[in-house]
Amino acid sequence: MSNKNIYLPYLMRIEKITDEAPGVKTFRLAFEDKAEGEAFDFRAGQFAEYSAFGEGECTFCIASPPTRRGYVECTFRRAGRVTTGLAKLEEGDTMGFRGPFGNSFPIEQWQGKNLLFVAGGIALPPMRCVIENALDMREKFKDITIIYGAKSVGDLVYKEKLKEWEARPDVNMVTTVDPGGETPDWKGKVGFTPTVLEQVAPSSDNTVAVVCGPPVMIKFSFPVLEKLGFKDTDIYTTLENRMKCGLGKCGRCNVGKMYVCKDGPVFTKAQLNGLPPEY
């Protein structure tokens, strides 16, 4: 459920701020109106507009899963005017939240399948939502493999979550950092994410793959998945760059016949094959 007036944000109180990596923070947001919080619902993969009052709005995914009620979480990197405004806020402050928008991962269709998640850097937040959604329904899926890489150990986000997932006997967790990004006590793999994906070589049989990361990581991961036997219809990703209004009104995210905010942000590789090559 969303607000009747699509332009009117929910008022949210920042309950907790976690510093994830240099310039990267996670906010846990509680609805100031508890009734609105109880009525709010969304699906894994959807995004929202977050506002620092007086600075404007910016778009990013909802990082917490819909299976955990009463709050939403978002993770962002300080980059421009609005994210700088958000980064200045403190626990207890009020900010705006508008959504949910966009389509979602068809998680019900994945029941009975193996799940493979491949993520890079700051692109773990949209993946975290669907990972935790799946883990909260763990009995409905077969093997779950998570491959996550970042430039360096310091750039890994959700360090506590990574430990939590790694400790689970029902999750195959593989963490890697780029060559030169390791520390003396680093116990994970060293290598670029697509290379590590090829080394792990997960089976494509009855498996859905979800890939989120910088464009270059996605570009080199797709051929690896193809080599492993994954069909384009079984490979999902989420696009968030260029989105602004969230409603298909401003046209900034228009590509080919699609608006990323309305037709996405979740797409299969088969759908991406039909988009202009520059996207």
Side-chain angles (χ1 to χ4, degrees), residues 86-148:
L86 289 172
K88 290 177 181 174
L89 298 175
E90 298 177 354
E91 290 180 0
D93 285 349
T94 299
M95 58 179 279
F97 170 87
R98 200 161 60 83
F101 299 119
N103 68 353
S104 57
F105 291 104
I107 198 162
E108 289 82 7
Q109 295 173 25
W110 299 349
Q111 292 182 21
K113 295 180 182 285
N114 304 310
L115 304 181
L116 167 65
F117 299 101
V118 184
I122 190 63
L124 187 56
M127 192 79 94
R128 181 194 144 195
C129 178
V130 68
I131 288 172
E132 296 206 303
N133 196 160
L135 291 178
D136 286 348
M137 304 160 57
R138 185 64 187 88
E139 72 286 352
K140 296 184 184 295
F141 307 99
K142 294 190 175 178
D143 293 344
I144 293 182
T145 299
I146 304 168
I147 299 173
Y148 172 55

Side-chain angles (χ1 to χ4, degrees), residues 242 253-259 263 274-276 278-279:
R242 301 190 190 178
C253 69
N254 171 241
V255 53
K257 294 179 179 177
M258 293 186 177
Y259 286 88
D263 300 304
L275 297 183
E278 70 271 12
Y279 202 81

